[in-house]
Amino acid sequence: MIPFEFSRATDAADALRQGAMAGTAYLGGGTNLVDLMRETIARPNRLVDVTGLSRAIEETPDGGLLIGAAVRNTALAEHRQVRTRYPMLSRAILAGASAQIRNMATVGGNLLQRTRCTYFYDSAGSRCNKREPGSGCDARGGFNRIHAVLGGSEACVATHPSDMCVALAALDATVHVEGPAGKRAIAFGDFHRLPGDQPDRDTTLAPGELVTAIALPPLSFGANSTYRKVRDRASYAFALVSVAAALDLDGDRVRDVRIAFGGVAHTPWRAMKAEAALRGGPATRQAFLDAAAAEFVEARPLRDNAFKPALVGRTLAAVLDALVRGDMA
């Protein structure tokens, strides 16, 4: 590992002061960043530990929740209001990693995970524009079973690895950040970037900016929500595809719905086309399958992952069928 300096921030202002130094990275639980440093993919000169920042989960005046960026994943998944009002979020976190990792990982750090693309991690033998801009993308012509079918580019077809972020996308979360220019709030759908010709930039954060909290708005039908992850093995593994969904019914018709997909794009993918196709229509399995198909009209599968649109469709149908029955198990 390359030598680096280490310090702890006493508060957000102190973190920002230290974060302004060139080559500095903020350290949460370290469950991804430390791995990247071991592989010499990330090479910060200085780490600023921000785990001493807010670990509070508080109700907001409008009935939503404000979650401090240093809240541990386990604490968020087990929080009573999260489990009862936003069960998709709790289930997504519990699907995301081993208990030991959840006990260490922070909410803010979870947002900033980098892709698990094999070629990104193979710094010794593979070309990767995300790791080394301009070098090429070996995933496009290589083994690309886990890669993106939506929103990819010639420069990158990596997928976002987080389960928690898929639920946050469906819930219309807001990310609160502080930086040299002050405080700002970023809609969750604007926080992560599609790769375009700059796949090395994962988010819209400016240099030195620090995630301080995530806000969840109230959702009247959030209790009727769930998360389902399809993976190669039942134990700790990243999603081939995943679905976060909340459903509001008016008799046998869909009054409102929230849907996001994981494992299909460089970002947690909010399924706006699928939602629009379902609102006001029948709550039937065929309608659910048709809605998923509408979302993937512009999909660009690669050689090894053409199965993903159909797999997402079947998963979405199964999830929404369960929500119609009130069975979130």
PDB file of all heavy atoms in Angstrom, residues 66-93:
ATOM      1  N   LEU A  66     -34.454  12.287   8.038  1.00  0.00           N
ATOM      2  CA  LEU A  66     -33.140  12.816   7.712  1.00  0.00           C
ATOM      3  C   LEU A  66     -32.112  11.882   8.332  1.00  0.00           C
ATOM      4  O   LEU A  66     -32.095  11.674   9.552  1.00  0.00           O
ATOM      5  CB  LEU A  66     -32.963  14.237   8.236  1.00  0.00           C
ATOM      6  CG  LEU A  66     -31.663  14.931   7.835  1.00  0.00           C
ATOM      7  CD1 LEU A  66     -31.643  15.197   6.330  1.00  0.00           C
ATOM      8  CD2 LEU A  66     -31.485  16.236   8.602  1.00  0.00           C
ATOM      9  N   ILE A  67     -31.246  11.327   7.489  1.00  0.00           N
ATOM     10  CA  ILE A  67     -30.304  10.283   7.901  1.00  0.00           C
ATOM     11  C   ILE A  67     -28.889  10.840   7.807  1.00  0.00           C
ATOM     12  O   ILE A  67     -28.430  11.221   6.719  1.00  0.00           O
ATOM     13  CB  ILE A  67     -30.446   9.048   6.982  1.00  0.00           C
ATOM     14  CG1 ILE A  67     -31.883   8.538   6.992  1.00  0.00           C
ATOM     15  CG2 ILE A  67     -29.467   7.964   7.396  1.00  0.00           C
ATOM     16  CD1 ILE A  67     -32.228   7.694   5.779  1.00  0.00           C
ATOM     17  N   GLY A  68     -28.188  10.900   8.929  1.00  0.00           N
ATOM     18  CA  GLY A  68     -26.816  11.384   8.923  1.00  0.00           C
ATOM     19  C   GLY A  68     -25.915  10.493   8.088  1.00  0.00           C
ATOM     20  O   GLY A  68     -26.084   9.269   8.047  1.00  0.00           O
ATOM     21  N   ALA A  69     -24.938  11.097   7.426  1.00  0.00           N
ATOM     22  CA  ALA A  69     -24.079  10.342   6.511  1.00  0.00           C
ATOM     23  C   ALA A  69     -23.234   9.293   7.219  1.00  0.00           C
ATOM     24  O   ALA A  69     -22.819   8.311   6.603  1.00  0.00           O
ATOM     25  CB  ALA A  69     -23.169  11.302   5.743  1.00  0.00           C
ATOM     26  N   ALA A  70     -22.973   9.479   8.523  1.00  0.00           N
ATOM     27  CA  ALA A  70     -22.149   8.517   9.255  1.00  0.00           C
ATOM     28  C   ALA A  70     -22.959   7.402   9.901  1.00  0.00           C
ATOM     29  O   ALA A  70     -22.403   6.553  10.603  1.00  0.00           O
ATOM     30  CB  ALA A  70     -21.317   9.235  10.319  1.00  0.00           C
ATOM     31  N   VAL A  71     -24.272   7.364   9.677  1.00  0.00           N
ATOM     32  CA  VAL A  71     -25.097   6.264  10.179  1.00  0.00           C
ATOM     33  C   VAL A  71     -24.605   4.954   9.575  1.00  0.00           C
ATOM     34  O   VAL A  71     -24.380   4.865   8.361  1.00  0.00           O
ATOM     35  CB  VAL A  71     -26.581   6.484   9.832  1.00  0.00           C
ATOM     36  CG1 VAL A  71     -27.410   5.238  10.128  1.00  0.00           C
ATOM     37  CG2 VAL A  71     -27.135   7.678  10.595  1.00  0.00           C
ATOM     38  N   ARG A  72     -24.420   3.958  10.401  1.00  0.00           N
ATOM     39  CA  ARG A  72     -23.993   2.643   9.900  1.00  0.00           C
ATOM     40  C   ARG A  72     -25.155   1.963   9.182  1.00  0.00           C
ATOM     41  O   ARG A  72     -26.325   2.136   9.534  1.00  0.00           O
ATOM     42  CB  ARG A  72     -23.521   1.762  11.060  1.00  0.00           C
ATOM     43  CG  ARG A  72     -22.376   2.354  11.874  1.00  0.00           C
ATOM     44  CD  ARG A  72     -21.071   2.370  11.127  1.00  0.00           C
ATOM     45  NE  ARG A  72     -19.983   2.874  11.963  1.00  0.00           N
ATOM     46  CZ  ARG A  72     -18.711   2.943  11.584  1.00  0.00           C
ATOM     47  NH1 ARG A  72     -18.374   2.555  10.361  1.00  0.00           N
ATOM     48  NH2 ARG A  72     -17.779   3.421  12.397  1.00  0.00           N
ATOM     49  N   ASN A  73     -24.823   1.169   8.186  1.00  0.00           N
ATOM     50  CA  ASN A  73     -25.864   0.490   7.415  1.00  0.00           C
ATOM     51  C   ASN A  73     -26.751  -0.384   8.293  1.00  0.00           C
ATOM     52  O   ASN A  73     -27.971  -0.447   8.107  1.00  0.00           O
ATOM     53  CB  ASN A  73     -25.229  -0.353   6.304  1.00  0.00           C
ATOM     54  CG  ASN A  73     -24.736   0.494   5.143  1.00  0.00           C
ATOM     55  OD1 ASN A  73     -24.740   1.721   5.209  1.00  0.00           O
ATOM     56  ND2 ASN A  73     -24.293  -0.158   4.090  1.00  0.00           N
ATOM     57  N   THR A  74     -26.147  -1.064   9.248  1.00  0.00           N
ATOM     58  CA  THR A  74     -26.938  -1.916  10.144  1.00  0.00           C
ATOM     59  C   THR A  74     -27.948  -1.087  10.921  1.00  0.00           C
ATOM     60  O   THR A  74     -29.121  -1.475  11.049  1.00  0.00           O
ATOM     61  CB  THR A  74     -26.012  -2.668  11.107  1.00  0.00           C
ATOM     62  OG1 THR A  74     -25.193  -3.571  10.357  1.00  0.00           O
ATOM     63  CG2 THR A  74     -26.818  -3.457  12.132  1.00  0.00           C
ATOM     64  N   ALA A  75     -27.513   0.053  11.437  1.00  0.00           N
ATOM     65  CA  ALA A  75     -28.411   0.897  12.225  1.00  0.00           C
ATOM     66  C   ALA A  75     -29.568   1.398  11.390  1.00  0.00           C
ATOM     67  O   ALA A  75     -30.712   1.473  11.867  1.00  0.00           O
ATOM     68  CB  ALA A  75     -27.634   2.080  12.817  1.00  0.00           C
ATOM     69  N   LEU A  76     -29.314   1.733  10.134  1.00  0.00           N
ATOM     70  CA  LEU A  76     -30.389   2.207   9.262  1.00  0.00           C
ATOM     71  C   LEU A  76     -31.366   1.086   8.946  1.00  0.00           C
ATOM     72  O   LEU A  76     -32.588   1.278   9.005  1.00  0.00           O
ATOM     73  CB  LEU A  76     -29.799   2.778   7.969  1.00  0.00           C
ATOM     74  CG  LEU A  76     -30.805   3.382   6.995  1.00  0.00           C
ATOM     75  CD1 LEU A  76     -31.561   4.550   7.625  1.00  0.00           C
ATOM     76  CD2 LEU A  76     -30.100   3.838   5.709  1.00  0.00           C
ATOM     77  N   ALA A  77     -30.853  -0.086   8.624  1.00  0.00           N
ATOM     78  CA  ALA A  77     -31.728  -1.216   8.292  1.00  0.00           C
ATOM     79  C   ALA A  77     -32.604  -1.615   9.464  1.00  0.00           C
ATOM     80  O   ALA A  77     -33.743  -2.064   9.282  1.00  0.00           O
ATOM     81  CB  ALA A  77     -30.898  -2.403   7.827  1.00  0.00           C
ATOM     82  N   GLU A  78     -32.088  -1.450  10.686  1.00  0.00           N
ATOM     83  CA  GLU A  78     -32.825  -1.889  11.872  1.00  0.00           C
ATOM     84  C   GLU A  78     -33.699  -0.799  12.474  1.00  0.00           C
ATOM     85  O   GLU A  78     -34.476  -1.072  13.404  1.00  0.00           O
ATOM     86  CB  GLU A  78     -31.837  -2.387  12.936  1.00  0.00           C
ATOM     87  CG  GLU A  78     -31.108  -3.666  12.525  1.00  0.00           C
ATOM     88  CD  GLU A  78     -30.117  -4.130  13.577  1.00  0.00           C
ATOM     89  OE1 GLU A  78     -29.876  -3.366  14.534  1.00  0.00           O
ATOM     90  OE2 GLU A  78     -29.594  -5.253  13.423  1.00  0.00           O
ATOM     91  N   HIS A  79     -33.617   0.414  11.965  1.00  0.00           N
ATOM     92  CA  HIS A  79     -34.381   1.519  12.543  1.00  0.00           C
ATOM     93  C   HIS A  79     -35.879   1.264  12.366  1.00  0.00           C
ATOM     94  O   HIS A  79     -36.348   0.901  11.270  1.00  0.00           O
ATOM     95  CB  HIS A  79     -33.993   2.825  11.852  1.00  0.00           C
ATOM     96  CG  HIS A  79     -34.474   4.045  12.568  1.00  0.00           C
ATOM     97  ND1 HIS A  79     -35.711   4.595  12.334  1.00  0.00           N
ATOM     98  CD2 HIS A  79     -33.881   4.818  13.512  1.00  0.00           C
ATOM     99  CE1 HIS A  79     -35.869   5.668  13.093  1.00  0.00           C
ATOM    100  NE2 HIS A  79     -34.777   5.826  13.818  1.00  0.00           N
ATOM    101  N   ARG A  80     -36.629   1.462  13.423  1.00  0.00           N
ATOM    102  CA  ARG A  80     -38.051   1.083  13.400  1.00  0.00           C
ATOM    103  C   ARG A  80     -38.831   1.808  12.306  1.00  0.00           C
ATOM    104  O   ARG A  80     -39.646   1.192  11.592  1.00  0.00           O
ATOM    105  CB  ARG A  80     -38.680   1.368  14.774  1.00  0.00           C
ATOM    106  CG  ARG A  80     -40.144   0.971  14.853  1.00  0.00           C
ATOM    107  CD  ARG A  80     -40.695   1.127  16.251  1.00  0.00           C
ATOM    108  NE  ARG A  80     -42.088   0.724  16.315  1.00  0.00           N
ATOM    109  CZ  ARG A  80     -42.810   0.735  17.424  1.00  0.00           C
ATOM    110  NH1 ARG A  80     -42.253   1.117  18.578  1.00  0.00           N
ATOM    111  NH2 ARG A  80     -44.071   0.356  17.410  1.00  0.00           N
ATOM    112  N   GLN A  81     -38.609   3.117  12.152  1.00  0.00           N
ATOM    113  CA  GLN A  81     -39.371   3.859  11.146  1.00  0.00           C
ATOM    114  C   GLN A  81     -38.977   3.469   9.731  1.00  0.00           C
ATOM    115  O   GLN A  81     -39.808   3.500   8.823  1.00  0.00           O
ATOM    116  CB  GLN A  81     -39.189   5.360  11.372  1.00  0.00           C
ATOM    117  CG  GLN A  81     -39.833   5.853  12.655  1.00  0.00           C
ATOM    118  CD  GLN A  81     -39.845   7.362  12.731  1.00  0.00           C
ATOM    119  OE1 GLN A  81     -40.547   8.022  11.971  1.00  0.00           O
ATOM    120  NE2 GLN A  81     -39.052   7.909  13.640  1.00  0.00           N
ATOM    121  N   VAL A  82     -37.725   3.094   9.535  1.00  0.00           N
ATOM    122  CA  VAL A  82     -37.301   2.619   8.219  1.00  0.00           C
ATOM    123  C   VAL A  82     -37.973   1.289   7.906  1.00  0.00           C
ATOM    124  O   VAL A  82     -38.500   1.073   6.809  1.00  0.00           O
ATOM    125  CB  VAL A  82     -35.763   2.492   8.151  1.00  0.00           C
ATOM    126  CG1 VAL A  82     -35.323   1.848   6.837  1.00  0.00           C
ATOM    127  CG2 VAL A  82     -35.115   3.869   8.313  1.00  0.00           C
ATOM    128  N   ARG A  83     -37.987   0.384   8.876  1.00  0.00           N
ATOM    129  CA  ARG A  83     -38.575  -0.936   8.656  1.00  0.00           C
ATOM    130  C   ARG A  83     -40.072  -0.860   8.402  1.00  0.00           C
ATOM    131  O   ARG A  83     -40.617  -1.641   7.617  1.00  0.00           O
ATOM    132  CB  ARG A  83     -38.290  -1.850   9.850  1.00  0.00           C
ATOM    133  CG  ARG A  83     -36.834  -2.271   9.916  1.00  0.00           C
ATOM    134  CD  ARG A  83     -36.453  -3.128  11.121  1.00  0.00           C
ATOM    135  NE  ARG A  83     -37.575  -3.700  11.823  1.00  0.00           N
ATOM    136  CZ  ARG A  83     -37.839  -3.474  13.105  1.00  0.00           C
ATOM    137  NH1 ARG A  83     -37.074  -2.655  13.807  1.00  0.00           N
ATOM    138  NH2 ARG A  83     -38.847  -4.067  13.689  1.00  0.00           N
ATOM    139  N   THR A  84     -40.762   0.075   9.046  1.00  0.00           N
ATOM    140  CA  THR A  84     -42.218   0.130   8.917  1.00  0.00           C
ATOM    141  C   THR A  84     -42.683   1.050   7.786  1.00  0.00           C
ATOM    142  O   THR A  84     -43.659   0.742   7.110  1.00  0.00           O
ATOM    143  CB  THR A  84     -42.853   0.594  10.241  1.00  0.00           C
ATOM    144  OG1 THR A  84     -42.300   1.856  10.628  1.00  0.00           O
ATOM    145  CG2 THR A  84     -42.604  -0.419  11.340  1.00  0.00           C
ATOM    146  N   ARG A  85     -41.975   2.176   7.566  1.00  0.00           N
ATOM    147  CA  ARG A  85     -42.430   3.154   6.572  1.00  0.00           C
ATOM    148  C   ARG A  85     -41.727   3.020   5.229  1.00  0.00           C
ATOM    149  O   ARG A  85     -42.267   3.412   4.199  1.00  0.00           O
ATOM    150  CB  ARG A  85     -42.221   4.567   7.119  1.00  0.00           C
ATOM    151  CG  ARG A  85     -43.146   4.870   8.302  1.00  0.00           C
ATOM    152  CD  ARG A  85     -42.692   6.069   9.097  1.00  0.00           C
ATOM    153  NE  ARG A  85     -42.440   7.239   8.269  1.00  0.00           N
ATOM    154  CZ  ARG A  85     -41.903   8.363   8.737  1.00  0.00           C
ATOM    155  NH1 ARG A  85     -41.548   8.455  10.003  1.00  0.00           N
ATOM    156  NH2 ARG A  85     -41.717   9.386   7.930  1.00  0.00           N
ATOM    157  N   TYR A  86     -40.499   2.459   5.232  1.00  0.00           N
ATOM    158  CA  TYR A  86     -39.721   2.309   4.004  1.00  0.00           C
ATOM    159  C   TYR A  86     -39.075   0.922   3.967  1.00  0.00           C
ATOM    160  O   TYR A  86     -37.849   0.795   3.894  1.00  0.00           O
ATOM    161  CB  TYR A  86     -38.628   3.370   3.910  1.00  0.00           C
ATOM    162  CG  TYR A  86     -39.073   4.798   4.111  1.00  0.00           C
ATOM    163  CD1 TYR A  86     -38.950   5.416   5.362  1.00  0.00           C
ATOM    164  CD2 TYR A  86     -39.579   5.560   3.059  1.00  0.00           C
ATOM    165  CE1 TYR A  86     -39.326   6.736   5.549  1.00  0.00           C
ATOM    166  CE2 TYR A  86     -39.961   6.883   3.234  1.00  0.00           C
ATOM    167  CZ  TYR A  86     -39.833   7.462   4.483  1.00  0.00           C
ATOM    168  OH  TYR A  86     -40.205   8.776   4.660  1.00  0.00           O
ATOM    169  N   PRO A  87     -39.867  -0.147   4.036  1.00  0.00           N
ATOM    170  CA  PRO A  87     -39.261  -1.480   4.143  1.00  0.00           C
ATOM    171  C   PRO A  87     -38.359  -1.843   2.969  1.00  0.00           C
ATOM    172  O   PRO A  87     -37.437  -2.644   3.128  1.00  0.00           O
ATOM    173  CB  PRO A  87     -40.473  -2.415   4.237  1.00  0.00           C
ATOM    174  CG  PRO A  87     -41.646  -1.617   3.770  1.00  0.00           C
ATOM    175  CD  PRO A  87     -41.340  -0.204   4.110  1.00  0.00           C
ATOM    176  N   MET A  88     -38.609  -1.254   1.785  1.00  0.00           N
ATOM    177  CA  MET A  88     -37.717  -1.566   0.664  1.00  0.00           C
ATOM    178  C   MET A  88     -36.277  -1.184   0.985  1.00  0.00           C
ATOM    179  O   MET A  88     -35.331  -1.856   0.572  1.00  0.00           O
ATOM    180  CB  MET A  88     -38.165  -0.875  -0.629  1.00  0.00           C
ATOM    181  CG  MET A  88     -37.960   0.624  -0.653  1.00  0.00           C
ATOM    182  SD  MET A  88     -37.921   1.322  -2.322  1.00  0.00           S
ATOM    183  CE  MET A  88     -39.650   1.337  -2.759  1.00  0.00           C
ATOM    184  N   LEU A  89     -36.084  -0.084   1.721  1.00  0.00           N
ATOM    185  CA  LEU A  89     -34.739   0.362   2.068  1.00  0.00           C
ATOM    186  C   LEU A  89     -34.087  -0.602   3.046  1.00  0.00           C
ATOM    187  O   LEU A  89     -32.918  -0.978   2.883  1.00  0.00           O
ATOM    188  CB  LEU A  89     -34.802   1.775   2.643  1.00  0.00           C
ATOM    189  CG  LEU A  89     -33.476   2.388   3.111  1.00  0.00           C
ATOM    190  CD1 LEU A  89     -32.443   2.385   1.997  1.00  0.00           C
ATOM    191  CD2 LEU A  89     -33.701   3.802   3.643  1.00  0.00           C
ATOM    192  N   SER A  90     -34.810  -0.995   4.067  1.00  0.00           N
ATOM    193  CA  SER A  90     -34.271  -1.952   5.019  1.00  0.00           C
ATOM    194  C   SER A  90     -33.890  -3.256   4.324  1.00  0.00           C
ATOM    195  O   SER A  90     -32.800  -3.810   4.546  1.00  0.00           O
ATOM    196  CB  SER A  90     -35.294  -2.226   6.124  1.00  0.00           C
ATOM    197  OG  SER A  90     -34.792  -3.155   7.053  1.00  0.00           O
ATOM    198  N   ARG A  91     -34.756  -3.750   3.461  1.00  0.00           N
ATOM    199  CA  ARG A  91     -34.496  -5.012   2.771  1.00  0.00           C
ATOM    200  C   ARG A  91     -33.311  -4.899   1.812  1.00  0.00           C
ATOM    201  O   ARG A  91     -32.530  -5.839   1.648  1.00  0.00           O
ATOM    202  CB  ARG A  91     -35.747  -5.473   2.031  1.00  0.00           C
ATOM    203  CG  ARG A  91     -36.839  -5.962   2.966  1.00  0.00           C
ATOM    204  CD  ARG A  91     -38.167  -6.138   2.239  1.00  0.00           C
ATOM    205  NE  ARG A  91     -39.175  -6.608   3.179  1.00  0.00           N
ATOM    206  CZ  ARG A  91     -39.527  -7.879   3.319  1.00  0.00           C
ATOM    207  NH1 ARG A  91     -38.945  -8.810   2.587  1.00  0.00           N
ATOM    208  NH2 ARG A  91     -40.449  -8.226   4.193  1.00  0.00           N
ATOM    209  N   ALA A  92     -33.178  -3.752   1.162  1.00  0.00           N
ATOM    210  CA  ALA A  92     -32.054  -3.554   0.243  1.00  0.00           C
ATOM    211  C   ALA A  92     -30.725  -3.590   0.993  1.00  0.00           C
ATOM    212  O   ALA A  92     -29.758  -4.212   0.549  1.00  0.00           O
ATOM    213  CB  ALA A  92     -32.213  -2.233  -0.498  1.00  0.00           C
ATOM    214  N   ILE A  93     -30.678  -2.924   2.138  1.00  0.00           N
ATOM    215  CA  ILE A  93     -29.446  -2.921   2.925  1.00  0.00           C
ATOM    216  C   ILE A  93     -29.102  -4.327   3.397  1.00  0.00           C
ATOM    217  O   ILE A  93     -27.948  -4.768   3.316  1.00  0.00           O
ATOM    218  CB  ILE A  93     -29.580  -1.959   4.115  1.00  0.00           C
ATOM    219  CG1 ILE A  93     -29.698  -0.515   3.621  1.00  0.00           C
ATOM    220  CG2 ILE A  93     -28.380  -2.099   5.057  1.00  0.00           C
ATOM    221  CD1 ILE A  93     -30.094   0.471   4.705  1.00  0.00           C
TER     222      ILE A  93
END
